[in-house]
Amino acid sequence: MSKEMSYSKAIQRLEEIVQSLERGGIPLDETLKLYEEGAKLLAFCQQELAAAEGKLNEMKLADIENKLSE
Amino acid sequence: MRTGNDLTTGPIPVGQFVNLVRNTLKQDKLFQNQVITGEITQWKRHSNGHTYFTLIDSDGQISAVIWQGRCNIDPLIEEGSVVVVIANLDLWAKAGKIQLVVSKIALVNKLGALEDRKKQLIADLRNEGLLDRTRLELPTIPHHIAIITGSGSAALADMNRLIDNRWPGLRRTIIGVMVQGENAPGEIVRGLLAASKLSVPEIADKMEVPPVDLIIVGRGGGAPEDLWAFNLEPVVRAIVASRVPVVSAVGHESDLMVADLVADLRASTPSNAIELTVPEYDYHQMLNVSLLERLDDAAQRIIIDWRRSLQLLQSRLVNAPLRGVYNAYQHVSELGNRLSNIVADRFSEERQRLHRHTTMIEFAIHKKLADETTRLAVLNTSLNSSNPRNVLHRGYSMITNKSGSVISKTDDLTEGQQITLALADGRAKATVDGIEEGDKNE
């Protein structure tokens, strides 16, 4: 997965892959490659969804500045 | 002190006289703590810390001084500003000069003055090309939002509530700053700097959070002066300098700040900022699931078709050499392995589906191999039935000449020829004693 891959690009590519698999008529090897790519993209998207989850951190300006200068 | 013209004591020294005047002035309430308005001219902030100027209107003028530290001077006050002052009249004896000693000074039309500055700043930014510069792209799913706003403010509460409605538990760092008053611009700038630092991967790593990838800076509604920090150059420049996209979210829909003009995205209110930047978790999760289902359904259909063509291939393989079957098996099994490895990390539902697919492939392969084995057995049987040795068992024997060629016709025989008879369990040597030709058509 390239470093510049973004969630929206991944979704866009997934849509393309699903559509071409749905259309069919692709050689078996190509099908497998597409499926493989689609599976990786889906895993990436799931990671992206999970990565957004975290703590709520509320700090006063001075506190965060202190923490940053540690 | 002399109080009148007393000729017997001679003339009054001028200094004494001036001081007499000064005392008179200082005793008159009219000249003390007077509220005076006028326009500023000859505005000069002296290096000694005092500020000198002349207050003027069409009918008169008077010098004025603000001793260092005596009162706050609005940074907006400048040459030509119309001000109102509270001042005492004083006479500086040494110079014989009357002046106002100012204890308070304020702009008469502060908002007007502010607006003028704002317009100037906008014009400067436009000239620098900062208003129509390319904006940073906002992340579809922000991994770490920094929100710079008043701690404990209603705006913050609104934003937090909206975030948790849309994406429960979305990671955010809230940097509490002053959003109005003298310290607001400085604190907002420092808040933006702190957020920018948190966007540096190495620094974020140390704090054990993903880098900040979106900054929201703003506050709720208020009087124009209260929102003014967001029209000031330091704040605006800090927004421009950010390497992370900045959303400005100040006041109400109708409040347009200079910060709004330079931000990567302008939100009309703090709540609007959340609506524009925080996606809905449910929507994206459903999108993922539906793409997963479509991908799997399509793959399943293809695998079923594939299985059919495997079966077709099977029937065509009847005449193919065994090595071909083996290669095909290898290929199919490799494809099957790849297919099952692909999705090892994905959710269980999909893994189950995949397992079904893999099972189908394995089933197809096994079936093909079984069929192939049957085919070989059949071949073997028919091969066996045509093996000449089996014929010998039935009482026939095979004649060969010296060179081992099979002799099946009398034409190939001569009298006295040595021949070999192959029987079911061995061989016998014989000599041809005579030849009788039979019916050639037999």
Side-chain angles (χ1 to χ4, degrees):
Chain A
M1 201 73 41
S2 88
K3 256 192 167 176
E4 285 104 55
M5 177 55 78
S6 70
Y7 177 83
S8 52
K9 275 185 195 154
I11 290 287
Q12 199 186 336
R13 175 70 186 138
L14 258 170
E15 187 67 45
E16 283 169 20
I17 288 173
V18 167
Q19 277 177 13
S20 51
L21 287 180
E22 282 170 344
R23 268 198 306 273
I26 306 164
L28 191 60
D29 260 14
E30 182 67 14
T31 296
L32 210 58
K33 268 189 209 147
L34 283 176
Y35 186 81
E36 201 166 354
E37 192 188 343
K40 276 186 185 159
L41 287 167
L42 267 168
F44 169 78
C45 288
Q46 280 294 305
Q47 277 169 23
E48 284 287 295
L49 296 196
E53 223 167 282
K55 284 202 301 194
L56 188 161
N57 217 339
E58 186 167 352
M59 282 190 268
K60 295 249 186 254
L61 179 63
D63 295 337
I64 196 163
E65 283 176 333
N66 284 340
K67 214 168 168 202
L68 282 169
S69 62
E70 265 168 22
Chain B
M1 183 168 295
R2 290 164 185 272
T3 53
N5 190 358
D6 187 345
L7 288 175
T8 57
T9 56
I12 309 172
V14 64
Q16 230 174 65
F17 178 74
V18 172
N19 273 304
L20 190 67
V21 175
R22 183 170 187 263
N23 285 343
T24 311
L25 287 179
K26 296 209 78 158
Q27 276 156 26
D28 193 328
K29 288 212 166 70
L30 181 64
F31 303 132
Q32 303 304 310
N33 282 317
Q34 185 56 272
V35 184
I36 307 155
T37 183
E39 191 184 318
I40 285 175
T41 180
Q42 293 173 293
W43 177 257
K44 183 162 198 268
R45 308 196 75 158
H46 199 274
S47 56
N48 60 20
H50 311 313
T51 303
Y52 302 94
F53 61 98
T54 300
L55 212 50
I56 187 170
D57 68 12
S58 54
D59 297 323
Q61 58 175 288
I62 191 165
S63 297
V65 62
I66 304 170
W67 303 125
Q68 184 186 22
R70 268 301 294 285
C71 68
N72 280 329
I73 302 173
D74 193 319
L76 288 173
I77 294 174
E78 58 186 8
E79 188 74 19
S81 295
V82 177
V83 293
V84 55
V85 299
I86 298 177
N88 295 336
L89 191 64
D90 202 351
L91 194 155
W92 184 23
K94 288 221 160 160
K97 192 178 159 194
I98 282 187
Q99 66 181 5
L100 294 170
V101 177
V102 175
S103 58
K104 271 208 166 86
I105 183 166
L107 280 161
V108 166
N109 182 7
K110 182 170 162 100
L111 214 53
L114 287 171
E115 289 292 349
D116 289 348
R117 288 262 172 125
K118 180 179 171 181
K119 275 183 202 146
Q120 186 56 49
L121 178 57
I122 293 172
D124 290 349
L125 294 167
R126 180 168 289 122
N127 287 340
E128 290 173 46
L130 294 175
L131 297 189
D132 40 23
R133 76 191 199 287
T134 312
R135 298 304 203 268
L136 298 172
E137 198 183 325
L138 271 66
T140 312
I141 297 176
H143 290 185
H144 189 175
I145 303 182
I147 300 177
I148 301 161
T149 195
S151 34
S153 64
L156 176 57
D158 283 350
M159 286 193 275
N160 273 331
R161 185 178 41 79
L162 260 175
I163 289 173
D164 285 323
N165 279 345
R166 298 173 72 87
W167 195 296
L170 188 78
R171 182 181 292 98
R172 72 210 96 141
T173 294
I174 287 137
I175 304 176
V177 296
M178 300 291 297
V179 288
Q180 66 189 66
E182 230 178 301
N183 293 331
E187 288 209 359
I188 295 166
V189 168
R190 280 161 54 203
L192 284 164
L193 269 175
S196 280
K197 277 190 188 162
L198 267 177
S199 76
V200 178
E202 292 76 30
I203 296 175
D205 258 12
K206 264 200 233 159
M207 312 267 279
E208 292 175 345
V209 286
V212 161
D213 53 2
L214 181 68
I215 298 173
I216 297 174
V217 60
R219 54 154 292 157
E225 298 96 300
D226 294 340
L227 309 183
W228 213 262
F230 295 92
N231 282 323
L232 296 182
E233 189 161 3
V235 171
V236 168
R237 297 270 178 203
I239 291 174
V240 171
S242 176
R243 299 182 316 137
V244 177
V246 177
V247 180
S248 74
V250 183
H252 298 302
E253 176 78 53
S254 55
D255 300 316
L256 188 67
M257 304 290 130
V258 183
D260 292 330
L261 300 177
V262 296
D264 296 292
L265 180 72
R266 186 230 166 181
S268 57
T269 63
S271 298
N272 181 235
I274 302 307
E275 282 157 6
L276 293 175
T277 60
V278 175
E280 284 181 281
Y281 178 81
D282 290 349
Y283 167 79
H284 284 280
Q285 194 55 273
M286 280 192 300
L287 180 66
N288 269 237
V289 168
S290 89
L291 281 167
L292 167 68
E293 282 173 358
R294 285 172 62 198
L295 185 69
D296 270 2
D297 287 350
Q300 200 168 359
R301 255 199 314 281
I302 288 167
I303 286 164
I304 290 167
D305 290 349
W306 181 22
R307 188 182 148 205
R308 277 201 204 104
S309 49
L310 268 183
Q311 285 166 339
L312 206 71
L313 195 66
Q314 227 167 271
S315 50
R316 284 169 56 199
L317 267 173
V318 168
N319 295 315
L322 188 57
R323 174 135 201 92
V325 179
Y326 180 72
N327 286 343
Y329 172 75
Q330 288 283 67
H331 184 57
V332 168
S333 116
E334 187 205 311
L335 291 180
N337 283 341
R338 274 174 64 196
L339 198 57
S340 58
N341 287 335
I342 288 165
V343 211
D345 295 332
R346 291 175 47 204
F347 9 111
S348 62
E349 188 195 349
E350 204 226 340
R351 219 174 282 142
Q352 281 165 12
R353 283 162 178 267
L354 192 75
H355 180 71
R356 285 205 301 277
H357 299 163
T358 315
T359 311
M360 269 195 295
I361 294 164
E362 278 169 2
F363 175 79
I365 291 163
H366 286 143
K367 186 169 186 304
K368 186 163 74 105
L369 276 186
D371 287 353
E372 187 57 26
T373 311
T374 312
R375 186 182 75 88
L376 288 177
V378 169
L379 276 175
N380 196 32
T381 312
S382 65
L383 209 61
N384 278 348
S385 65
S386 54
N387 188 329
R389 301 222 172 262
N390 288 356
V391 181
L392 300 185
H393 279 290
R394 297 207 295 269
Y396 297 96
S397 62
M398 187 171 73
I399 304 167
T400 51
N401 61 17
K402 266 189 205 163
S403 57
S405 305
V406 174
I407 294 165
S408 53
K409 292 184 230 133
T410 51
D411 288 353
D412 299 331
L413 287 173
T414 50
E415 277 189 13
Q417 185 183 352
Q418 291 283 315
I419 52 170
T420 306
L421 303 177
L423 303 162
D425 59 346
R427 278 186 281 193
K429 301 264 183 208
T431 311
V432 178
D433 289 340
I435 302 163
E436 291 175 18
E437 284 181 41
D439 187 347
K440 294 235 171 171
N441 292 333
E442 262 178 44

